[in-house]
Structures are given as structure tokens and as C-alpha cells.
Amino acid sequence: MSYQDHFGSNVGRCVEIRCHDGKVHRGYVDHCDNNHVYLRPLDGGDSGPGYGSYFFFGAALIAVAFASIAAFSYGPFFW
């Protein structure tokens, strides 16, 4: 199963993504395309921008490239 299939079927779920460079992104899966998964940050974006920040009606989305994902996990909340 590809990342696109996996994240696409779990839109709206809370996820923590760890990248190869050590960055950690936490948020809700908003959508995904062929190369990125887009997250709505849990805490208003203090995790910093991923590989590009996008604004959609004033809410920041974090785009994380599939190639940069080292690990991910789903959960209700991450503290």
C-alpha cells in the first residue's frame, strides 16, 4: 500500500509523522496528492512548516513530502 492510499483512506485522523531529518509533525490528515500529505496542525502550527506551508481560508496546512517520511503513527492525541 502506498503512502497516498494509506493517508487518503485516513483523512481526518490524528497522525504523528517523523521525517528522516528528525522533524516531527503532528496534526490531522487534511488531504494528500501524488507527492505530499497535508496536515492541519494540532496546536496551531508551532511544529513549524514542513516542506512548504500553505494557507487555506486562514488555516495553515503543513505539506510533508512522502520521500521524507521515516515513520508515522496514528493516535487520538500526542502530547
Side-chain angles (χ1 to χ4, degrees), residues 2-67:
S2 70
Y3 281 135
Q4 183 179 8
D5 294 335
H6 194 72
F7 287 116
S9 64
N10 288 291
V11 170
R13 287 193 64 187
C14 184
V15 66
E16 178 180 81
I17 297 175
R18 294 183 185 273
C19 297
H20 291 290
D21 63 1
K23 291 183 182 176
V24 177
H25 305 284
R26 295 176 184 100
Y28 295 96
V29 177
D30 189 75
H31 68 280
C32 64
D33 59 22
N34 292 334
N35 299 311
H36 297 85
V37 60
Y38 298 88
L39 303 177
R40 287 205 185 277
L42 286 175
D43 49 9
D46 81 336
S47 62
Y51 293 97
S53 275
Y54 298 91
F55 293 90
F56 182 71
F57 295 112
L61 292 180
I62 298 171
V64 181
F66 291 146

